[in-house]
Amino acid sequence: MVRYKAVIAYDGTNYSGFQTQENGHTVQAELEQTLKKLNSSQRVLIHASGRTDAGVHAWGQVIHFDLPQERELEKLRHALDTQTPADIAVRSVEKVADDFHARYDAVEKTYHYRLDISRPRVPFKRYYAAFYPYTGVLDVELMRRSMADLVGTHDFTAFCAAGSSVENRVRTIVEAGLTLDEDNQELLFVFRGTGFLYKMVRILVGTLMKVGQGRLPVDTIEKALETGDKKFVGPTAHPEGLYLMEVKYDKNNRAEG
Amino acid sequence: MVRYKAVIAYDGTNYSGFQTQENGHTVQAELEQTLKKLNSSQRVLIHASGRTDAGVHAWGQVIHFDLPQERELEKLRHALDTQTPADIAVRSVEKVADDFHARYDAVEKTYHYRLDISRPRVPFKRYYAAFYPYTGVLDVELMRRSMADLVGTHDFTAFCAAGSSVENRVRTIVEAGLTLDEDNQELLFVFRGTGFLYKMVRILVGTLMKVGQGRLPVDTIEKALETGDKKFVGPTAHPEGLYLMEVKYDKNNRAEG
């Protein structure tokens, strides 16, 4: 048995999400079907760093899987890349230790969130950035001040979607940045941390949009973290703006979430 | 009767092209259907600066149309923008002289062509840039030298697709540029000129790709222009890389094509 780690990019538009589920067209099912073809029709199970929801994209999703034999890496990558649909790309494949785990060994994840603030909406971005539909200016400086409260180790219970069964909701955010592009057409949120709860990034973005509009106070994130109370947070932002950009690993440093 | 000029952006992916045709889902039909709703169910005919083919995009397509009454411009733009499908955006609407014509008054057009040279293919770009599928390096300098021969006034017969009924094939190219993005992931071709023949930009790009691969000589464009012979040109590049970016007008300077 040889264990492989692969870095995957996908356009989530036409998927019900990453993880296999009944009645859903998923990225996992496409990858497993292709691996099965490359493995003498024997089933191959893949494990990802985490699931992504319907419509959410990935540039740097990481998976692991086992094959009975050693393969030539670039040949395996090329076969996987070209035999999966055009909305999935296999960026790299490497051999890893037999106990490497794409989910449990992840120590840091980076998410991007693209918010289209152009007028009118740019048609080419409609599946690749969320559209900010309201009139009135978003105060980027106010949003940046509010985001600064995220950096550090906190209990993120207030930012966890209902239905999550995760018990430990303490995570460390290393970076929370917000940039406006040259043409004032798009906002890019960057979140980097040890792990993220279910829908946490989208709830953070939904909250920050309300702060930028002046509809939630600048200290609402601080209060949500202190109290764990969902009354301080905004709605969940749309999935099409979200990208899982990178997952980092360090065998000596296992992380949760 | 009041004549209006509008600047339109559209994602051409799901259309059979701009111009209305039998059995085709077209941008023109969507715009005319929306205008009819805004005009007490009376038909409104639109005229564009030119057609675009299936899969080709536009950021700055220009149309004109007539309505029986004077309208508030921003209200009309907003109604058109929001009542057309999400893959069509109406960027601006203005009142123009009764004899303004989107096609016959155009004096300059700018096209962009995006070529994705990343490995593997970036899934998010698959409908918004053409993918260069071959291995081996594209020699950008060689392509630039070859493109330089385009600038000026020439008979572009060799670069006109079969089936075009246009008789005068003399056009003036003002700018022919090629840039590589920071990450060496994408080539951007820029063509600006008095007019372009049917499929001319895509045949130019197909020819330049062959030059960059070393499969056509650097003087092949010069020879194609001199002789009008199609044997010097390459294949027609795919539609998804092409964008009609801008159309310029000058009432005192009518142009053909």
Side-chain angles (χ1 to χ4, degrees), chain B residues 103-121:
Chain B
R103 181 166 171 207
Y104 301 125
D105 291 344
V107 294
E108 191 180 278
K109 284 185 179 175
T110 304
Y111 283 96
H112 283 183
Y113 194 95
R114 291 175 59 184
L115 187 64
D116 178 8
I117 56 169
S118 59
R119 290 295 173 275
R121 183 173 193 169

Side-chain angles (χ1 to χ4, degrees), chain B residues 51-107:
Chain B
R51 65 180 72 183
T52 55
D53 281 325
V56 172
H57 310 295
W59 174 244
Q61 173 67 289
V62 175
I63 60 169
H64 80 258
F65 56 88
D66 298 329
L67 291 176
Q69 317 86 8
E70 179 128 8
R71 304 289 186 110
E72 210 182 297
L73 293 175
E74 175 52 23
K75 218 168 147 183
L76 177 59
R77 187 206 65 75
H78 187 263
L80 273 171
D81 183 42
T82 51
Q83 291 181 39
T84 45
D87 50 10
I88 299 175
V90 178
R91 295 177 51 207
S92 68
V93 174
E94 60 185 298
K95 224 180 102 176
V96 285
D98 287 0
D99 66 343
F100 171 84
H101 197 289
R103 181 166 171 207
Y104 301 125
D105 291 344
V107 294

Side-chain angles (χ1 to χ4, degrees), chain A:
Chain A
M1 188 278 277
V2 184
R3 184 156 289 187
Y4 296 93
K5 171 191 171 192
V7 180
I8 311 292
Y10 49 84
D11 175 344
T13 310
N14 298 319
Y15 291 99
S16 312
F18 181 85
Q19 187 166 287
T20 297
Q21 52 184 269
E22 273 187 76
N23 304 320
H25 174 222
T26 67
V27 180
Q28 182 177 3
E30 289 290 352
L31 287 163
E32 289 183 347
Q33 201 181 309
T34 305
L35 275 164
K36 190 178 171 183
K37 278 190 240 163
L38 301 173
N39 189 40
S40 318
S41 298
Q42 297 300 300
R43 200 181 163 195
V44 180
L45 193 68
I46 67 173
H47 296 267
S49 73
R51 65 180 72 184
T52 54
D53 281 324
V56 172
H57 310 295
W59 174 242
Q61 172 69 289
V62 175
I63 60 169
H64 80 257
F65 56 88
D66 299 330
L67 292 176
Q69 317 88 9
E70 178 127 8
R71 303 290 185 107
E72 210 183 295
L73 294 174
E74 174 52 22
K75 220 167 144 182
L76 177 59
R77 185 206 66 74
H78 187 262
L80 274 170
D81 183 42
T82 52
Q83 291 182 38
T84 44
D87 50 11
I88 299 176
V90 178
R91 294 176 53 207
S92 68
V93 174
E94 61 183 297
K95 224 179 102 175
V96 285
D98 286 1
D99 66 343
F100 171 84
H101 198 290
R103 181 167 169 204
Y104 300 125
D105 291 346
V107 294
E108 191 179 279
K109 284 185 180 175
T110 304
Y111 283 95
H112 283 182
Y113 195 95
R114 291 174 59 184
L115 187 65
D116 179 9
I117 55 170
S118 59
R119 289 295 173 274
R121 182 171 195 170
V122 178
F124 318 114
K125 289 188 186 175
R126 69 196 191 286
Y127 300 124
Y128 305 102
F131 181 62
Y132 179 74
Y134 306 108
T135 51
V137 179
L138 269 176
D139 188 329
V140 174
E141 255 328 298
L142 214 56
M143 294 161 87
R144 285 200 185 109
R145 271 168 53 203
S146 191
M147 285 176 93
D149 292 329
L150 291 168
V151 176
T153 301
H154 309 281
D155 184 319
F156 283 92
T157 296
F159 295 95
C160 184
S164 167
S165 59
V166 174
E167 284 189 14
N168 179 358
R169 291 168 173 190
V170 175
R171 299 290 184 275
T172 300
I173 300 290
V174 181
E175 180 187 358
L178 177 57
T179 51
L180 182 62
D181 73 348
E182 282 177 10
D183 311 323
N184 292 352
Q185 300 290 295
E186 192 175 312
L187 285 174
L188 177 69
F189 297 81
V190 177
F191 298 98
R192 192 159 56 89
T194 57
F196 293 84
L197 302 166
Y198 188 50
K199 294 199 178 163
M200 177 170 148
V201 176
R202 287 164 58 189
I203 299 171
L204 284 171
V205 172
T207 304
L208 287 164
M209 279 197 262
K210 291 270 182 202
V211 171
Q213 287 175 284
R215 296 175 59 150
L216 278 175
V218 68
D219 64 352
T220 201
I221 285 181
E222 189 186 355
K223 284 191 177 151
L225 292 173
E226 269 173 19
T227 62
D229 194 332
K230 287 193 200 306
K231 78 177 179 195
F232 294 107
V233 311
T236 306
H238 288 195
E240 66 272 20
L242 186 60
Y243 292 73
L244 173 56
M245 292 302 290
E246 193 180 5
V247 187
K248 280 196 178 158
Y249 292 89
D250 176 351
K251 285 298 287 179
N252 305 316
N253 221 342
R254 292 202 172 212
E256 286 175 83

